[in-house]
Amino acid sequence: MKKAAFGWLLSRASAVVLVAGLAVHFSANHFGRPNASEHGIVMMRLAHPGWMAFYAVFLLAIIYHAAYGLWGIALEYLKKGRVLSAVKSALVILSALLVIAGLWILSDTQMLLANPPAPCYKCHSAGSTAGTIPSGRALRIFQ
Amino acid sequence: MRYRLTTGFFAFILNRLSGVILAVFLIPHFFSLYFIGDAARYEAIRGFYDTPVMRFSELALLGIVLAHGLNGIRLILLEAGAPTRLQKVFFWTALSAGALILLISIPHMMWGAR
Ligand code: HEM
């Protein structure tokens, strides 16, 4: 397969991943105020490897998709030359930084889980609804 | 070529604008999660997002996600060979599905019903 066609296919594949990923992400973290994104609850969720895997895939898909989309816009408006190469470098650097930041955030949660300040996140979360993860009915399978 | 305000052109502008807004939004969104290793700091940042104004902004962001995502599915279907005569049907289907999802989300995102 040609390189350009593969990149294109990947952008469409990532878009499909994002549809499912955004539905899960919004219902888990942005639905059900006030505590859906409370620290203890996020921690309990991320104690499960399924959620870690989900966020790793979601992260890569979103960064790839956004960078590919912005690059497409740049190609449309800019002629080949210095400015276009500068945009390309900026996009590559920014994407790399965001992937690193995302992985850093994920690894930070695992360090905290391995080394919890009292109380244990896996048993109860600090100051939240003890022992339950308010992340929507469909997501209870992860508990 | 002269630009004309057809459904297709409107959909194109909508997709482009929403895509760029979402991409820019990723940066502050990651930044606010950066302090997850420090519960107190994380909670302080989250407190800022848990006000009516910010909740409403988040709802607006969901609207942008829905506009871009559902319109994106429409584009993927057309690219994959779905008949172009269905173009407008797809557009209006996406729009009404998005409006419906957004409507259902209002109580969940504004007041925390589930
Ligand atoms: C709900 C899932 C999503 C779907 C189905 C989707 C689908 C698409 C499709 C099909 C395109 C191609 C437009 C074209 O090449 O003409 C596109 C472009 C784009 N998307 Fe997404 N997308 C989604 C989520 C996102 C998110 C979350 C972001 C930002 C982080 C994003 C950023 C972009 C950008 C910047 C473009 C380029 C816009 C343009 O070329 O006019 N997308 N998207």
Side-chain angles (χ1 to χ4, degrees):
Chain A
M1 197 188 286
K2 283 224 194 79
K3 217 174 128 200
F6 183 69
W8 173 86
L9 193 67
L10 214 54
S11 90
R12 297 317 187 245
S14 62
V16 174
V17 170
L18 286 178
V19 175
L22 284 163
V24 171
H25 176 70
F26 264 89
S27 57
N29 287 296
H30 300 276
F31 265 40
R33 303 301 186 145
N35 51 11
S37 54
E38 197 174 87
H39 193 262
I41 293 188
V42 171
M43 282 311 198
M44 278 204 293
R45 225 184 271 135
L46 286 171
H48 194 292
W51 276 106
M52 282 297 283
F54 167 77
Y55 275 110
V57 172
F58 190 43
L59 170 70
L60 294 176
I62 209 163
I63 300 300
Y64 179 81
H65 181 88
Y68 184 94
L70 293 175
W71 176 237
I73 297 176
L75 277 179
E76 212 178 297
Y77 293 123
L78 298 170
K79 283 202 272 310
K80 266 197 178 138
R82 281 243 186 92
V83 183
L84 191 63
S85 338
V87 169
K88 186 173 195 168
S89 314
L91 278 177
V92 169
I93 292 171
L94 201 62
S95 307
L97 281 178
L98 283 174
V99 169
I100 292 169
L103 293 176
W104 174 282
I105 292 165
L106 285 179
S107 73
D108 245 15
T109 65
Q110 297 311 293
M111 298 223 284
L112 204 59
L113 284 165
N115 240 325
C120 164
Y121 289 120
K122 287 193 188 186
C123 328
H124 292 288
S125 65
S128 72
T129 337
T132 56
I133 305 181
S135 55
R137 263 170 241 101
L139 300 171
R140 297 264 155 77
I141 41 166
F142 281 130
Q143 275 185 60
Chain B
M1 183 192 115
R2 276 181 57 220
Y3 287 107
R4 279 194 306 138
L5 206 57
T6 57
T7 320
F9 184 65
F10 176 69
F12 165 75
I13 289 294
L14 191 73
N15 203 252
R16 176 151 290 187
L17 209 64
S18 53
V20 173
I21 293 173
L22 293 176
V24 170
F25 167 77
L26 281 181
I27 296 169
H29 192 49
F30 276 44
F31 184 73
S32 64
L33 297 173
Y34 205 73
F35 301 103
I36 193 125
D38 180 342
R41 214 154 159 199
Y42 172 91
E43 282 301 311
I45 294 170
R46 204 176 62 83
F48 167 73
Y49 288 105
D50 221 7
T51 57
V53 173
M54 292 313 285
R55 283 185 188 191
F56 184 76
S57 319
E58 250 177 74
L59 192 67
L61 193 76
L62 176 62
I64 298 174
V65 166
L66 286 168
H68 183 88
L70 292 170
N71 201 34
I73 294 175
R74 183 192 73 102
L75 273 171
I76 291 173
L77 287 176
L78 290 172
E79 275 178 352
T84 21
R85 73 187 143 75
L86 291 181
Q87 220 180 122
K88 283 193 182 179
V89 180
F90 283 166
F91 180 77
W92 290 110
T93 309
L95 201 73
S96 12
L100 190 67
I101 297 173
L102 196 61
L103 211 64
I104 294 172
S105 304
I106 292 175
H108 297 274
M109 288 186 74
M110 293 301 292
W111 302 288
R114 41 177 63 248

